[in-house]
Amino acid sequence: MSFDKLLTKVFGSSNQRYLKSVLPIVDKINSLEASVKSMSDEELRARTAYFKDQVQQAVAGITDRTERKRREKEVLDEILPEAFAIVREASVRTTGMRHFDVQLIGGVVLHEGKIAEMRTGEGKTLVATLPSYLNALTGRGGVHVVTVNDYLASRDAEWMGQIHRFLGLEVGCIQNDMDDFERQAAYAADITY
């Protein structure tokens, strides 16, 4: 057995170690499920404004762009468990679909700017609702969910957009045949497919 294989066997692969570090976040999201489930639709929507306010307060007065982005990320990481729990409940109420733990992990991975590889049928479309909602809370807009064609962009904007619209966010969709004004309006949305 090579030294590398021995180390991997003893300490686990880097992916295994990373997943182990994400599990406490998933546990926190799951621990919030009962309290979030008991919220009214209006209370769920109000969390969006509350989260946006938290982010804005945290970066108020910071003029350095790098420092502002660093502080935004810190706040988003702090509110991630509750925000993901809110999105999961909104999804149940609007689409009838509940994010499973593997999808929560995928959402954390994407939020951290990493690549999440999932097989067909594992819910990539639903996974994208988690980090797109969270990152839209900065209020800067510009959260883009990229698909491979117009059909999927339109389908996902309508289907998954139900979740975001339920939570008070605006959803746009870019199509090849749009003129510049239509594109500009779609890009101005909180989340654009």
Side-chain angles (χ1 to χ4, degrees):
M1 178 180 287
S2 74
F3 184 68
D4 288 343
K5 287 185 180 178
L6 177 64
L7 286 176
T8 300
K9 188 171 184 168
V10 173
F11 296 107
S13 70
S14 61
N15 283 338
Q16 289 167 329
R17 289 189 304 274
Y18 175 72
L19 288 175
K20 190 174 183 179
S21 74
V22 172
L23 291 179
I25 300 169
V26 172
D27 290 341
K28 177 69 175 166
I29 297 165
N30 287 331
S31 74
L32 296 168
E33 187 168 19
S35 64
V36 169
K37 189 177 281 303
S38 69
M39 297 171 105
S40 69
D41 290 354
E42 292 75 27
E43 289 172 319
L44 282 176
R45 281 187 203 98
R47 295 310 285 172
T48 298
Y50 172 76
F51 292 145
K52 282 183 171 185
D53 189 53
Q54 277 191 293
V55 174
Q56 291 309 310
Q57 285 183 21
V59 298
I62 300 175
T63 56
D64 179 66
R65 185 178 175 153
T66 303
E67 179 59 23
R68 184 178 178 91
K69 283 186 172 267
R70 187 194 63 74
R71 184 64 187 126
E72 272 181 355
K73 181 168 178 356
E74 281 179 3
V75 174
L76 292 179
D77 289 347
E78 290 169 17
I79 64 176
L80 183 148
E82 186 180 358
F84 277 24
I86 295 287
V87 172
R88 177 163 61 184
E89 182 59 26
S91 177
V92 169
R93 293 183 192 188
T94 59
T95 68
M97 293 184 288
R98 180 185 174 276
H99 296 78
F100 294 105
D101 287 358
V102 69
Q103 293 164 322
L104 298 175
I105 291 168
V108 172
V109 168
L110 291 175
H111 168 65
E112 292 182 357
K114 295 177 173 39
I115 295 171
E117 183 179 351
M118 299 177 77
R119 292 186 179 126
T120 300
E122 287 187 324
K124 293 179 288 294
T125 303
L126 189 60
V127 167
T129 61
L130 298 162
S132 58
Y133 171 79
L134 181 65
N135 286 277
L137 297 172
T138 63
R140 287 187 282 116
V143 175
H144 299 155
V145 180
V146 180
T147 62
V148 295
N149 60 42
D150 279 1
Y151 166 75
L152 290 176
S154 178
R155 181 201 72 177
D156 295 353
E158 184 56 38
W159 188 23
M160 297 296 109
Q162 295 175 79
I163 299 165
H164 298 303
R165 285 187 292 274
F166 177 83
L167 292 171
L169 297 178
E170 188 178 334
V171 177
C173 179
I174 300 295
Q175 300 286 283
N176 282 324
D177 61 353
M178 294 175 113
D179 65 33
D180 289 344
F181 296 107
E182 291 170 316
R183 285 176 184 272
Q184 192 173 20
Y187 279 126
D190 296 305
I191 300 168
T192 304
Y193 284 82

